[in-house]
Amino acid sequence: MNYPEQKVTQAFRLYTLLARDGAAAEDAVQNYRADDAIRGLLDTFAREVDCVVISTSEQLFLIPETKLSPFHVSNDWIKRNYLRTGATNGDLYLLYFATMILFGSFYDTYQSQEPTRLFLRLDEWVRFIQERIDQLKTHDEEELKQLEQAFSYNWRLIIEKWDDMDDIKETAKKQSGNTISRMSFINTVKRFLADQKLVQDIGNEEIRLTEKAKTIIQRYFMEVEYSKGIFEFLYGFEGDEPHADDQ
């Protein structure tokens, strides 16, 4: 399709803004939604770099869809910027696991359309992780191996990493230098997610999901095509029983 030069220029300016900042403000959302030409061009530019444009009511975001995207956040980058020196793939698995548990904690069924809580306390987050870890432990070794192949997550390593962490509080007076507490790890995950504009720290040891996070959860985590049913695996054993308390 041939587009007027003015539309191409407008769309490319918007793309360069997204490429630089990862997000664009409300006026960009209005242009994207109202102008078919700009939307079509911007989506095309995004596909060329293995990304997708998603919109909330207030912002546009450029989200990488594959590891081939130049905007993809690599595991090595996360290790260097957020995890301890000498961090392993096990630490990354646990970071991703903690993120999934956080996301799932805001929804009361596998395919909820809207969050059923407004915020989550960090100590609740730790408790929810422990519940999922305990559930994973109900599977025997062979089952876990098969589940690892199905979901590409090393569940046994996740269990090991979590169990190796101390559950002492940050204010404890005695803590060995090579021991990381669970709350310390959760704060690290929170910092990573906040930097990615997926959660907002609202004080009092509480966080909430951003509109960006809600949109990504609905588009990817709730779609079996993308998630391979991982939410269903983590929470499906509870049937229709809710696991997120109404706030």
Side-chain angles (χ1 to χ4, degrees):
M1 180 181 293
N2 293 322
Y3 293 101
E5 182 178 349
Q6 180 184 13
K7 297 295 184 182
V8 176
T9 301
Q10 287 179 309
F12 190 72
R13 283 176 180 167
L14 184 51
Y15 169 75
T16 56
L17 176 63
L18 288 171
R20 185 190 69 196
D21 300 336
E26 191 171 351
D27 56 341
V29 176
Q30 295 172 352
N31 289 335
Y32 180 75
R33 291 182 174 179
D35 195 311
D36 291 342
I38 290 178
R39 184 171 62 255
L41 283 162
L42 188 57
D43 288 343
T44 298
F45 295 153
R47 284 195 299 271
E48 288 298 311
V49 288
D50 291 304
C51 288
V52 63
V53 176
I54 65 172
S55 66
T56 69
S57 59
E58 298 179 350
Q59 287 183 294
L60 282 183
F61 296 98
L62 187 67
I63 307 296
E65 281 204 304
T66 73
K67 293 181 180 180
L68 298 176
S69 172
F71 301 100
H72 172 70
V73 176
S74 71
N75 288 341
D76 286 341
W77 185 85
I78 295 174
K79 286 180 183 178
R80 288 195 308 271
N81 289 278
Y82 295 96
L83 299 176
R84 297 180 300 164
T85 302
T88 66
N89 286 340
D91 297 290
L92 284 166
Y93 278 125
L94 187 55
L95 181 145
Y96 295 142
F97 181 75
T99 299
M100 287 188 293
I101 301 309
L102 170 69
F103 288 169
S105 298
F106 279 86
Y107 295 84
D108 64 356
T109 61
Y110 171 54
Q111 291 185 325
S112 301
Q113 293 302 307
E114 295 293 335
T116 53
R117 62 161 65 233
L118 297 177
F119 60 87
L120 182 71
R121 289 186 55 82
L122 297 188
D123 57 353
E124 289 182 297
W125 188 4
V126 171
R127 178 167 60 85
F128 288 148
I129 292 174
Q130 186 63 58
E131 289 175 358
R132 298 309 117 199
I133 292 290
D134 290 342
Q135 179 60 32
L136 286 175
K137 289 179 179 179
T138 65
H139 299 282
D140 62 32
E141 188 84 1
E142 286 304 314
E143 285 180 316
L144 285 175
K145 287 181 180 179
Q146 293 175 5
L147 291 167
E148 286 168 5
Q149 293 179 351
F151 294 105
S152 300
Y153 272 84
N154 193 325
W155 304 117
R156 290 170 297 166
L157 191 53
I158 288 170
I159 293 170
E160 178 185 331
K161 280 290 181 180
W162 183 255
D163 284 349
D164 282 348
M165 288 183 182
D166 219 337
D167 60 1
I168 60 176
K169 295 183 178 179
E170 292 295 293
T171 54
K173 292 183 179 179
K174 293 183 178 179
Q175 183 175 357
S176 64
N178 60 358
T179 300
I180 181 172
S181 75
R182 290 169 182 171
M183 188 59 74
S184 175
F185 181 79
I186 286 303
N187 272 288
T188 295
V189 181
K190 182 192 74 171
R191 182 165 62 90
F192 166 69
L193 295 175
D195 288 348
Q196 299 303 311
K197 305 295 189 293
L198 295 173
V199 300
Q200 182 181 13
D201 189 332
I202 58 176
N204 297 319
E205 297 290 297
E206 296 170 349
I207 56 175
R208 65 185 177 194
L209 295 180
T210 62
E211 290 302 314
K212 176 183 179 181
K214 294 174 189 176
T215 303
I216 290 174
I217 290 168
Q218 287 298 326
R219 184 159 183 167
Y220 297 103
F221 286 86
M222 296 300 188
E223 291 293 332
V224 176
E225 175 188 353
Y226 291 102
S227 69
K228 298 182 180 179
I230 200 163
F231 267 10
E232 190 172 31
F233 164 63
L234 290 174
Y235 292 108
F237 47 77
E238 296 179 346
D240 294 327
E241 292 296 318
H243 60 268
D245 299 327
D246 292 337
Q247 299 291 337

